């Protein structure tokens, strides 16, 4: 690219407002790239240009962007392959594709691969391109929020049952691969219904959130704590040295939750029934291991003893 053009592109990048939308423009035609920079210099879009997909991948490793404007025909990649490459490196960054001539079938294929929009390669309609980029960002944020809502308990923010089962399945796969251990701890609050009946559901919700915080504080950051529903919680424990002292973990959890909780001048005390299931040498899936831990927890609840 001509030196004057490079200077203009760099100046356009650095002169953009600090709160501008950061656009990674992957375009191998320097004339088109320069036209984009000039057309959009009065907008709140901060364009950073590279000429190849591999350079775009390098940018994504070090420089955060909000959206990608992608030429679908590049020297080192074409069409769907380009989208798949970018999604592997930055799955949550929306992509708008641009092409000089693309059939509806090709555009649909790009959308199915993960593109938010496919535009005709005409840089005369600034408004259409800017609107497409901003809508792509908005759709990605909405989609991300919906994905979070689908996998998180709305009260505690913990993973819900679906996400817990997915993480447990991944943990079991790692255990089989590395010959380590995975365990599930299943917990149920004792007499939680009486808290709701006596103090109301607002207090009951506060207790559940407090229990969630206590559980997170009782295990390692790498462990998964989930609310499975109602007053039932579960933890996935992964070991890397082939052993874990479940008695220590169980005691830490029980002692933590047994601490008094003060809400609005009222002191509440709670306890839990605990069941543990360990994935041994025989193959077991996540549902079976969870059922074993659940059964162990109910045996503990029936015994009303401190052992498990």
């Amino acid at each position: 690219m001509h030196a004057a053009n490079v200077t203009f592109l760099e100046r356009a990048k650095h002169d953009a407002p600090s709160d501008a939308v950061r656009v990674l423009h992957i375009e191998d035609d320097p004339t088109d790239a320069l036209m984009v920079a000039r057309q959009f210099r009065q907008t709140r879009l901060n364009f950073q240009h590279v000429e190849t997909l591999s350079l775009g991948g390098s940018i994504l490793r070090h420089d955060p962007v909000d959206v990608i404007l992608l030429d679908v025909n590049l020297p080192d990649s074409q069409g769907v392959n380009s989208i798949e490459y970018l999604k592997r490196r930055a799955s949550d960054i929306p992509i708008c594709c641009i092409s000089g001539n693309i059939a509806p079938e090709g555009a649909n294929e790009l959308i199915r691969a993960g593109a938010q929009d496919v535009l005709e390669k005409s840089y005369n309609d600034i408004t259409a391109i800017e609107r497409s980029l901003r809508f792509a960002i908005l759709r990605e944020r909405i989609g991300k929020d919906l994905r979070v809502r689908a996998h998180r308990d709305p009260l505690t923010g913990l993973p819900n049952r679906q996400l817990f089962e997915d993480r447990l399945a991944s943990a079991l796969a790692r255990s089989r691969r590395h010959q380590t251990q995975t365990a599930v701890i299943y917990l149920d609050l004792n007499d939680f219904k009486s808290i709701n009946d006596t103090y109301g559901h607002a207090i009951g919700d506060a207790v559940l959130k407090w229990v969630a915080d206590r559980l997170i504080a009782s295990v390692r950051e790498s462990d998964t704590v989930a609310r499975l529903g109602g007053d039932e919680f579960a933890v996935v424990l992964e070991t890397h040295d082939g052993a874990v002292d479940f008695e220590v973990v169980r005691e830490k959890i029980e002692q933590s939750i047994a601490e008094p909780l003060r809400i609005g001048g009222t002191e509440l005390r709670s306890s839990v029934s605990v069941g543990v299931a360990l994935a041994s040498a025989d193959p077991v899936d996540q549902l079976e291991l969870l059922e074993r831990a659940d059964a162990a927890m109910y045996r503990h609840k029936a015994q009303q003893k401190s052992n498990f």
Side-chain angles (χ1 to χ4, degrees), residues 35-80:
M35 186 181 301
V36 166
R38 284 176 172 163
Q39 292 276 46
F40 286 90
R41 61 183 173 179
Q42 300 302 324
T43 70
R44 302 188 75 80
L45 300 176
N46 177 356
F47 275 85
Q48 183 172 4
H49 169 250
V50 293
E51 295 184 346
T52 65
L53 190 68
S54 58
L55 287 175
S58 299
I59 292 292
L60 292 174
R61 284 197 296 269
H62 308 292
D63 197 3
V65 301
D66 298 307
V67 63
I68 299 171
L69 182 62
L70 173 69
D71 183 358
V72 297
N73 296 306
L74 296 169
D76 56 343
S77 184
Q78 302 287 314
V80 170

Side-chain angles (χ1 to χ4, degrees), residues 60-111:
L60 292 174
R61 284 197 296 269
H62 308 292
D63 197 3
V65 301
D66 298 307
V67 63
I68 299 171
L69 182 62
L70 173 69
D71 183 358
V72 297
N73 296 306
L74 296 169
D76 56 343
S77 184
Q78 302 287 314
V80 170
N81 292 334
S82 299
I83 296 176
E84 292 175 346
Y85 174 91
L86 293 171
K87 285 295 183 182
R88 287 195 298 270
R89 282 152 182 79
S91 61
D92 58 342
I93 297 179
I95 301 171
C96 289
C97 293
I98 195 159
S99 175
N101 184 19
I102 187 168
E105 297 79 12
N108 290 338
E109 188 178 9
L110 294 171
I111 295 294

Side-chain angles (χ1 to χ4, degrees), residues 40-299:
F40 286 90
R41 61 183 173 179
Q42 300 302 324
T43 70
R44 302 188 75 80
L45 300 176
N46 177 356
F47 275 85
Q48 183 172 4
H49 169 250
V50 293
E51 295 184 346
T52 65
L53 190 68
S54 58
L55 287 175
S58 299
I59 292 292
L60 292 174
R61 284 197 296 269
H62 308 292
D63 197 3
V65 301
D66 298 307
V67 63
I68 299 171
L69 182 62
L70 173 69
D71 183 358
V72 297
N73 296 306
L74 296 169
D76 56 343
S77 184
Q78 302 287 314
V80 170
N81 292 334
S82 299
I83 296 176
E84 292 175 346
Y85 174 91
L86 293 171
K87 285 295 183 182
R88 287 195 298 270
R89 282 152 182 79
S91 61
D92 58 342
I93 297 179
I95 301 171
C96 289
C97 293
I98 195 159
S99 175
N101 184 19
I102 187 168
E105 297 79 12
N108 290 338
E109 188 178 9
L110 294 171
I111 295 294
R112 285 194 295 269
Q116 291 282 1
D117 201 356
V118 181
L119 305 170
E120 287 289 333
K121 199 170 190 177
S122 171
Y123 297 122
N124 295 322
D125 191 350
I126 302 174
T127 303
I129 297 177
E130 182 177 6
R131 183 170 59 244
S132 177
L133 294 172
R134 292 187 182 278
F135 280 0
I137 294 171
L138 179 60
R139 285 194 295 270
E140 179 64 31
R141 288 175 180 170
I142 292 173
K144 184 177 181 180
D145 181 61
L146 291 175
R147 290 191 294 274
V148 169
R149 290 172 182 263
H151 293 94
R152 293 281 173 176
D153 172 54
L155 177 65
T156 63
L158 294 176
N160 62 12
R161 179 179 288 270
Q162 180 180 347
L163 181 55
F164 180 82
E165 290 178 359
D166 290 344
R167 291 189 178 179
L168 178 54
S170 298
L172 290 171
R174 285 190 293 271
S175 291
R176 289 190 292 269
R177 188 164 56 250
H178 300 295
Q179 295 185 333
T180 56
Q181 290 182 315
T182 294
V184 171
I185 300 179
Y186 204 112
L187 308 101
D188 180 83
L189 287 176
N190 296 325
D191 299 322
F192 178 69
K193 184 177 182 299
S194 65
I195 294 178
N196 277 333
D197 292 343
T198 303
Y199 302 102
H201 288 280
I203 297 296
D205 288 348
V207 170
L208 292 173
K209 288 190 281 189
W210 178 81
V211 169
D213 292 339
R214 294 286 82 205
L215 289 174
I216 291 172
S218 299
V219 298
R220 301 166 302 180
E221 187 175 349
S222 59
D223 299 324
T224 295
V225 178
R227 182 187 177 203
L228 303 184
D231 58 349
E232 295 184 339
F233 296 82
V235 181
V236 175
L237 294 175
E238 288 187 71
T239 64
H240 305 287
D241 56 3
V244 64
D245 193 336
F246 297 114
E247 178 68 14
V248 171
V249 177
R250 190 270 304 172
E251 286 183 354
K252 188 174 182 181
I253 289 173
E254 287 193 350
Q255 290 172 4
S256 178
I257 295 177
E259 294 176 2
L261 168 64
R262 291 187 177 275
I263 302 178
T266 301
E267 181 178 288
L268 300 174
R269 291 184 178 271
S270 185
S271 64
V272 289
S273 297
V274 183
V276 177
L278 174 65
S280 53
D282 58 313
V284 61
D285 64 20
Q286 69 274 17
L287 296 180
E288 184 177 354
L289 191 64
L290 191 59
E291 288 174 358
R292 291 180 184 179
D294 187 15
M297 182 274 294
Y298 274 105
R299 287 196 298 272

